[in-house]
Amino acid sequence: MSAPAPDRPAVVVIEDNLFLRAKIEGALAEAGYRPRVATAPDALRAALAEHPLLVLVNLAVRAPWEALVALACESGAAPVVGYGPHTDEALLARGRAAGCAEVVPNGLVAGNPAAVVVRHGRTR
């Protein structure tokens, strides 16, 4: 697979599970987006400066996701959608409390992350 063109709209992905990350990046690239992975504040700031359409964050990452969600929300660059295990209601509630515009199950993001972008009405 070739690298996505820089003129494609960016979607930020906060994900440290290599299997899930590859699946999400591949699906986003295939749908015409430019995935930008960020798991640290500096990387997230750089990705947000590219005016992404959406920020997707795995609520189960080892990175300080709540601080990253706060940073993304404060920037106002794009809506933040959290995802996690559908059976972990406490984690999903933490995502909502942290500022995620929506919280969805892992399967929705892993299966069709582009649909989540479209669902938020973000296009360029």
Side-chain angles (χ1 to χ4, degrees):
M1 172 174 44
S2 61
D7 60 333
R8 291 181 172 193
V11 174
V12 178
V13 181
I14 300 172
E15 176 61 73
D16 60 8
N17 175 310
L18 294 180
F19 175 75
L20 196 50
R21 174 182 163 176
K23 189 170 187 155
I24 293 168
E25 284 183 297
L28 287 171
E30 188 174 307
Y33 299 104
R34 185 169 35 95
R36 295 275 291 135
V37 176
T39 57
D42 288 343
L44 180 57
R45 282 185 197 93
L48 292 171
E50 296 179 27
H51 308 289
L53 299 178
L54 191 70
V55 176
L56 293 170
V57 58
N58 184 342
L59 304 177
V61 294
R62 292 178 299 276
W65 67 265
E66 287 165 305
L68 295 173
V69 167
L71 177 63
C73 289
E74 287 169 12
S75 79
V80 179
V81 173
Y83 59 97
H86 71 279
T87 57
D88 193 340
E89 279 299 320
L91 181 63
L92 300 178
R94 279 179 53 207
R96 288 183 203 94
C100 292
E102 183 180 17
V103 177
V104 299
N106 284 335
L108 182 61
V109 174
N112 191 355
V116 178
V117 177
V118 170
R119 185 152 107 184
H120 282 270
R122 303 287 298 214
T123 58
R124 295 232 171 161

